[in-house]
C-alpha cells in the first residue's frame, strides 16, 4: 500500500525551475493549493447533457456510485516571484495536506 495516510506539509515558498521567457532558471516560487473553479453552464458537455436530460425517459447518463478511493491527489500551484509565471505540480495521494504549518513539537518538554 502506498503511503497515502501520511500528513503532507509543504512550505509556502520553494525554489524551483521557472520556464518563463524572462527567467529560465531556478527562482523562488509562491506555493498555493489548486482548487477547481465553478463549472460553467455554457460548456459543450453541460449543454449536451442538459439537452439529453430534457423530456421523459428518466436519467440518461450513468451516475457513478462505486467510489473506491479515500484520498485525492493534491495539486499545488507555483507562481514565480520574479516574472509571475504560474505552473502546476501534482503531489502524491494524502489524507491531510497543509501549507506552511509549523511542526508540532514531538520532543520531550521538561
Amino acid at each position: 500500500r502506498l503511503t497515502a495516510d501520511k500528513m503532507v506539509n509543504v512550505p509556502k515558498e520553494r525554489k524551483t525551475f521557472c520556464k518563463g521567457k524572462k527567467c529560465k532558471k531556478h527562482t523562488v516560487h509562491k506555493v498555493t493549493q489548486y482548487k477547481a473553479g465553478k463549472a460553467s453552464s455554457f460548456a459543450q458537455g453541460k449543454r449536451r447533457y442538459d439537452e439529453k436530460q430534457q423530456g421523459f425517459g428518466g436519467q440518461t447518463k450513468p451516475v457513478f456510485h462505486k467510489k473506491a478511493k479515500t484520498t485525492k491527489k493534491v495539486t499545488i500551484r507555483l507562481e514565480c516571484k520574479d516574472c509571475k509565471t504560474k505552473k502546476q505540480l501534482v503531489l502524491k495521494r494524502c489524507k491531510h495536506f497543509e501549507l506552511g504549518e509549523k511542526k508540532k513539537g514531538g520532543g520531550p518538554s521538561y
Side-chain angles (χ1 to χ4, degrees):
R1 204 177 116 204
L2 289 171
T3 57
D5 50 275
K6 293 259 174 74
M7 173 136 48
V8 177
N9 192 357
V10 177
K12 288 188 177 175
E13 286 183 349
R14 77 151 52 167
K15 198 169 186 183
T16 186
F17 186 76
C18 174
K19 335 191 239 202
K21 289 190 177 88
K22 292 178 189 171
C23 295
K24 291 207 184 295
K25 62 180 183 226
H26 274 70
T27 56
V28 177
H29 284 65
K30 189 175 94 174
V31 179
T32 52
Q33 187 173 359
Y34 166 78
K35 184 174 174 284
K38 193 162 80 80
S40 168
S41 58
F42 297 109
Q44 178 60 64
K46 179 77 171 116
R47 284 182 280 150
R48 187 183 292 121
Y49 177 76
D50 291 342
E51 188 64 35
K52 196 172 184 182
Q53 284 290 89
Q54 279 182 356
F56 297 111
Q59 182 67 33
T60 59
K61 305 274 279 177
V63 177
F64 185 70
H65 293 300
K66 294 184 178 179
K67 188 172 182 294
K69 302 276 189 279
T70 58
T71 57
K72 285 195 169 166
K73 290 180 181 178
V74 176
T75 303
I76 59 173
R77 191 162 174 267
L78 302 160
E79 183 182 330
C80 177
K81 290 218 166 173
D82 298 345
C83 68
K84 302 286 185 266
T85 301
K86 293 149 189 96
K87 70 174 180 178
Q88 290 179 330
L89 183 70
V90 180
L91 304 180
K92 289 183 178 175
R93 294 181 175 276
C94 62
K95 288 199 171 166
H96 301 287
F97 177 78
E98 289 179 345
L99 260 180
E101 294 287 322
K102 292 278 182 268
K103 284 187 179 174
K104 294 180 176 68
S109 55
Y110 297 112

